Amino acid sequence: MSDHPSPILDELRGMAVFATVVRCGSFASAARALGLTRAVVSHHVRVLETKLGVPLAQRSTRSFSLTPAGEAFRVHCERLLDEAHDGIRGMELLRAEPRGEVRITCSHHFGNKRILPALLDFRRRYPAIRLHVAMNDNNVDLVQRGIELAVRAGPLADSDLVARLLVREPTLLCAAPAYLRRYRAPATFAELEQHRWVVYPPSQRVLSARVGGRPMEMAVQGDIVTDSAASRLAFVLAGEGIARLPAYDAAAPLAAGDLVHLLPDVETAPLEIFVVHGRRIGPSARLLRDFLLQAAPGDAG
């Protein structure tokens, strides 16, 4: 092995120095915070700029400002620095019995099926960490409610939040035998448009799928519209309509003959569930986040 440090280590060091310069507001202040000379701090940033091929900052003896490239790159560098600080704090926490409090929110249905069992395991491993669990089918404001972790379906539009993929669950088009006794089973993707649907969530009025490798869409409509995944399943089992169900909902009823898998050749989009949090989270919340990610099924990507 070579005695020379890997280039990526130089870049990581430069990113940490650059993030410190941004947060301190000047090269001189960053040098004092890092215990380095101003010349060494400036050198690290110049080396980073050379590797990236773009200037990150405009500086003079009296002023310092970020270039557009520096402003964009700052987000990644500060995230790297935050992750390092949080990781060290997390390890400090693990030297003793982990303590603290975590507030987490998730939907009733997915929460009861997948999150609650993991939380019980977490409590057995870390009994001194207090959990506040809010089951809520709506996307609540994490900051306003003082919640550190949320389990949400994606994709997510809020760029102020960090989202880690927890599970990518296959989905299937399903109907109950009672429904299919009243309405002829669809033979093609186009025929789905003529059927009654259990619409979930209320905003999801378009079905996206791949048929023979080609992307296709169609509008869905029905007399049942719900914002509850548990209600969706109950209505489908009662024969009220067709729905796109995640595999964790459909598997047992399909095996029991209570549901029928429609058009198996139609590939519907998977359900992606994320663990979501703010840019900064405490060590107890980070411990729970990592525990949930490690406990997730292997197809979480």
Side-chain angles (χ1 to χ4, degrees), residues 52 63 78 158 168 223 257:
L52 296 174
S63 66
E78 290 189 316
D158 192 341
R168 183 181 289 111
D223 297 331

Side-chain angles (χ1 to χ4, degrees), residues 216-270:
M216 300 187 72
E217 288 188 344
M218 56 154 285
V220 300
Q221 56 185 346
D223 297 331
I224 305 295
V225 180
T226 179
D227 63 357
S228 163
S231 296
R232 171 189 59 187
L233 178 60
F235 281 122
V236 174
L237 287 170
E240 291 291 341
I242 294 172
R244 179 178 72 102
L245 298 178
Y248 62 76
D249 268 348
L254 284 170
D258 296 326
L259 284 179
V260 176
H261 183 187
L262 304 174
L263 302 175
D265 292 337
V266 172
E267 181 185 350
T268 51

Side-chain angles (χ1 to χ4, degrees), residues 40-55:
V40 170
V41 169
S42 183
H43 169 74
H44 281 303
V45 175
R46 279 199 306 272
V47 169
L48 188 60
E49 289 175 321
T50 300
K51 287 181 182 267
L52 296 174
V54 292

